[in-house]
Amino acid sequence: MVLLVLSGCLYWPRLIEEELNQAPTIVASDPRAGDPVELWTDTWVFVQAYDENDPDGLEFVWTLSGLGQQGGAMPIAGQGRHRGSQLFVVANPAYDGRTLSVTINDSFDGQVSRSWELIVPEEAP
Amino acid sequence: MSSRHPLATVAPLALLLAACSDMSIVATNDLASPSAFDTAEVDAAEALTEVIVDVRPSGDADVLPQRFRLDDRSLWSESTLNLQSTITLSGSIRGYAATPVGATVPGEADAPVEARITAFIEGDDHLRVVNSEADGTFALDLPRGQDYHLTVVPITPEALPASYDAGLAFLADSQRDIDLGFGVPVYGRHLQDDGTPVAVSRRPIAYLVDPLTGIAGASTRVDAEGWFALRAQPGTYTLVLEGAEGTTVPRIELPDVLVSESADASSPIVVGAGQVDFAEVTGRVADADGRPVSNASVRFTSVDLDDAAGALEVATETDQNGLFSRQLLPGAWTMRVVPTYEAEGEASPVEQEVVIGAEGSDLGDITLSARVQLEGLVVDTAGAPLGGVVVAIEEAGFDHYVYTATTDVQGAFTCNVPDTALIVRFMPSNDRGVAITPFSLPRPSEGPSTYPLGAGALIAGNASASGSPLPFAVIEVKSPSGESLGTTVTDTNGRYALRIAAP
């Protein structure tokens, strides 16, 4: 009876497997989330991301508030599905109070970002 | 002053070694630019017998960045980088205020000093810096270690000598109280050839630099008559006079200025400025299609000034019409025009020599050449294509902007780049069995069509702190002269591995 119903009365559409993109996640950074970048001297800032399905497609975009995209970011050779990027930030007094951000995009509109406040302490006159 | 690198003159100190129980740290000139590469394929690791490894922990780790030296190639493929724990150096800074409030005799008052304290290990460019509080107290975290330099530069009051110490060991939490004392007066006059000081609005600042560390003491601005007065501990310094922020007076360096207790106070140092008479320079920056380029940085570096002594760098920006104007001293200059960074921009930076006359100059249109496509195929030594390789393309000069691409499954890449000298670094992930390899291209059009990556030399090991693995730390391998050979990260177990280009 069941076989009869399945074979004659119901239509089974073909199943199509869809790969859902998994957005990148940030696994580490220096400074860590929430801490400022204290520019006592010129400093490296870095971020590392993990992407389950698109590590080679990751793009790191660094911006400084009011000054736009920063052009000196250098990729870090990855391990497995981890990728990284680092930016050398000069202790320029004009950067005090600005926000440094990095946005990590994958090839499928997945995105994650992190921001830090820049602090440039007073130096000797 | 902020742009001066505090270790700018440390290079002569290279190869002074420091030994710790489980790490060795080498003094190295870490300031060499990668643009120093001058061969088509950069065999930076060729004939290397040692490498420097900089470890930059993530912000979640409780250890500070540190440097290691692998001075035996047998250590390259398996080494343990055990980062030293963090200790705290605390103390206070005091000095003698030259004009103390409420004192009856000037110079009598012993006062707390707000100062900048800098500590670094010989040959390691990881500086640890803090300012003391208004009451003179400070606390500075730094890695446990030996052969530290410790400098103290007064901020308030400023008319005090700086302090420079070397050969210090900080192996546990320590207390150090520093008295800057009176020092010895160093004074002089900055005068033009005609015997007059420069215009009041252009009065330069004067300061002394410790030639050993490159760290400058407190500065003072020369007065309306050109006089300046500084204080320093006895020693040999470089005296520098340069334009204060916002002014443009050539920088003059007088090396080997001897400061001693027995100095003849009646002998001021006379610094000849030549003749500082400015002329107006104008121009317009346009792209290859003649359109104005706004917000471009226009920088001038003096090559040979006609009448003024010293050297000078000045900069300005173009307005929305691509126009700029700047006062310069007559003479020969190198002009660099750098457009703002855009990953898919249209203009390339340019460098050219210009001569400025006494009456000024209109430089006319300065044309930035168009960006170009850099293409290539990345293969292993057997000719097999290498997909998924990150390509980092860095300008070999100017602002060292970096443009990135990733090779496709056929090993091919293409990237929109400036039409200028480039360093192209291929950065395969460490499980590919090929080396991070840089190539130097005089121009994009002179690059090869195929870039072969060899196996290179393996640099691998574990990074740890207090016996625990150090995950997610950045590992950068450098040559002894400071050229970056490759960068990777540690995994969750503190394990790192990368291959650098080497025979």
Side-chain angles (χ1 to χ4, degrees):
Chain A
M1 174 69 177
V2 172
L3 287 174
L4 185 66
V5 170
L6 288 176
S7 62
C9 301
L10 295 176
Y11 170 69
W12 293 88
R14 191 161 61 90
L15 291 176
I16 300 174
E17 187 179 356
E18 239 181 68
E19 276 191 24
L20 289 177
N21 180 47
Q22 296 187 36
T25 56
I26 293 175
V27 296
S29 68
D30 186 41
R32 63 186 165 194
D35 283 359
V37 179
E38 294 189 13
L39 291 168
W40 291 102
T41 182
D42 303 346
T43 300
W44 284 102
V45 176
F46 71 79
V47 65
Q48 293 177 47
Y50 173 86
D51 194 293
E52 176 63 32
N53 62 315
D54 189 29
D56 289 338
L58 293 184
E59 174 195 43
F60 297 76
V61 179
W62 295 81
T63 56
L64 198 51
S65 58
L67 297 174
Q69 188 174 348
Q70 299 300 291
M74 185 63 80
I76 302 171
Q79 297 231 43
R81 299 179 187 280
H82 292 84
R83 297 291 182 270
S85 177
Q86 56 183 345
L87 182 71
F88 192 63
V89 185
V90 175
N92 182 345
Y95 292 170
D96 189 42
R98 295 183 188 270
T99 300
L100 175 67
S101 301
V102 60
T103 300
I104 306 162
N105 303 298
D106 69 14
S107 309
F108 307 100
D109 295 332
Q111 187 179 85
V112 65
S113 64
R114 180 161 290 182
S115 296
W116 302 266
E117 180 191 2
L118 300 186
I119 297 174
V120 187
E122 179 188 8
E123 69 172 323
Chain B
M1 289 176 64
S2 61
S3 62
R4 294 197 312 269
H5 193 296
L7 292 179
T9 58
V10 165
L13 301 175
L15 302 180
L16 294 176
L17 308 183
C20 291
S21 58
D22 51 358
M23 71 173 186
S24 57
I25 303 170
V26 64
T28 302
N29 174 12
D30 196 34
L31 303 175
S33 162
S35 62
F37 297 145
D38 58 3
T39 55
E41 178 176 357
V42 185
D43 291 328
E46 186 173 5
L48 281 182
T49 57
E50 63 183 57
V51 291
I52 289 168
V53 181
D54 278 343
V55 183
R56 296 193 284 274
S58 80
D60 292 321
D62 59 358
V63 287
L64 297 167
Q66 291 169 41
R67 171 167 292 185
F68 297 81
R69 181 174 63 94
L70 305 182
D71 57 0
D72 184 338
R73 267 188 93 133
S74 66
L75 296 173
W76 289 13
S77 59
E78 191 55 57
S79 58
T80 298
L81 309 177
N82 187 23
L83 275 70
Q84 297 292 320
S85 57
T86 301
I87 58 108
T88 301
L89 172 67
S90 55
S92 64
I93 312 295
R94 300 194 69 80
Y96 289 86
T99 53
V101 175
T104 54
V105 180
E108 189 178 61
D110 172 24
V113 177
E114 185 182 354
R116 171 156 292 197
I117 299 109
T118 303
F120 63 93
I121 290 176
E122 189 80 55
D124 185 338
D125 62 356
H126 295 118
L127 305 184
R128 301 301 307 167
V129 188
V130 75
N131 287 355
S132 58
E133 304 291 337
D135 65 359
T137 61
F138 70 93
L140 177 62
D141 290 338
L142 65 171
R144 178 180 176 274
Q146 304 181 62
D147 279 337
Y148 266 103
H149 285 259
L150 185 70
T151 70
V152 181
V153 177
I155 297 174
T156 308
E158 62 187 75
L160 291 171
S163 165
Y164 303 94
D165 284 312
L168 304 175
F170 298 119
L171 303 175
D173 289 349
S174 307
Q175 173 82 20
R176 192 174 184 88
D177 297 320
I178 298 168
D179 184 351
L180 298 178
F182 287 109
V184 176
V186 179
Y187 73 106
R189 206 170 181 199
H190 180 261
L191 290 174
Q192 300 184 94
D193 285 348
D194 61 6
T196 63
V198 297
V200 170
S201 61
R202 297 188 186 278
R203 285 179 296 152
I205 57 171
Y207 55 89
L208 295 163
V209 177
D210 172 38
L212 196 62
T213 61
I215 292 181
S219 65
T220 186
R221 194 158 187 173
V222 305
D223 67 15
E225 299 300 318
W227 289 100
F228 62 88
L230 299 161
R231 301 191 76 85
Q233 303 291 355
T236 302
Y237 298 88
T238 299
L239 173 64
V240 178
L241 284 103
E242 66 180 8
E245 189 174 353
T247 67
T248 48
V249 174
R251 174 187 172 94
I252 298 174
E253 294 187 14
L254 296 181
D256 303 324
V257 172
L258 179 64
V259 178
S260 71
E261 297 278 7
S262 60
D264 183 353
S266 65
S267 300
I269 301 168
V270 178
V271 181
Q275 205 61 36
V276 185
D277 297 320
F278 284 83
E280 191 77 10
V281 177
T282 58
R284 175 181 179 269
V285 177
D287 66 16
D289 295 325
R291 293 172 298 194
V293 177
S294 61
N295 301 119
S297 176
V298 184
R299 304 165 193 166
F300 295 90
T301 303
S302 65
V303 178
D304 184 18
L305 299 176
D306 287 348
D307 303 314
L312 183 59
E313 292 184 15
V314 296
T316 187
E317 281 192 358
T318 57
D319 65 14
Q320 60 185 0
N321 298 313
L323 300 171
F324 69 88
S325 112
R326 193 73 168 89
Q327 287 197 316
L328 291 180
L329 292 162
W333 296 76
T334 298
M335 179 179 68
R336 296 180 181 86
V337 182
V338 182
T340 55
Y341 177 82
E342 292 179 78
E344 297 295 332
E346 298 178 348
S348 305
V350 69
E351 174 180 316
Q352 62 188 62
E353 306 303 316
V354 296
V355 175
I356 308 301
E359 296 77 28
S361 302
D362 180 2
L363 300 176
D365 273 6
I366 296 122
T367 302
L368 307 186
S369 57
R371 298 260 290 264
V372 297
Q373 289 297 120
L374 179 68
E375 300 174 345
L377 195 64
V378 182
V379 299
D380 63 18
T381 49
L386 291 168
V389 174
V390 173
V391 187
I393 304 162
E394 178 184 355
E395 290 174 352
F398 301 104
D399 283 3
H400 294 275
Y401 287 160
V402 178
Y403 305 84
T404 58
T406 303
T407 59
D408 62 20
V409 292
Q410 305 299 323
F413 73 93
T414 180
C415 190
N416 176 263
V417 298
D419 190 8
T420 184
L422 302 169
I423 297 171
V424 184
R425 288 186 177 83
F426 297 98
M427 308 175 69
S429 58
N430 60 17
D431 52 359
R432 305 296 297 275
V434 290
I436 296 172
T437 308
F439 290 78
S440 180
L441 309 185
R443 298 289 291 272
S445 58
E446 297 179 42
S449 57
T450 301
Y451 296 85
L453 308 188
L458 177 66
I459 309 282
N462 293 287
S464 64
S466 302
S468 300
L470 191 65
F472 304 124
V474 170
I475 305 288
E476 182 171 15
V477 179
K478 296 177 175 177
S479 72
S481 59
E483 295 156 0
S484 182
L485 303 177
T487 307
T488 188
V489 293
T490 58
D491 65 14
T492 53
N493 299 313
R495 183 80 186 160
Y496 67 91
L498 75 164
R499 289 182 171 276
I500 60 171

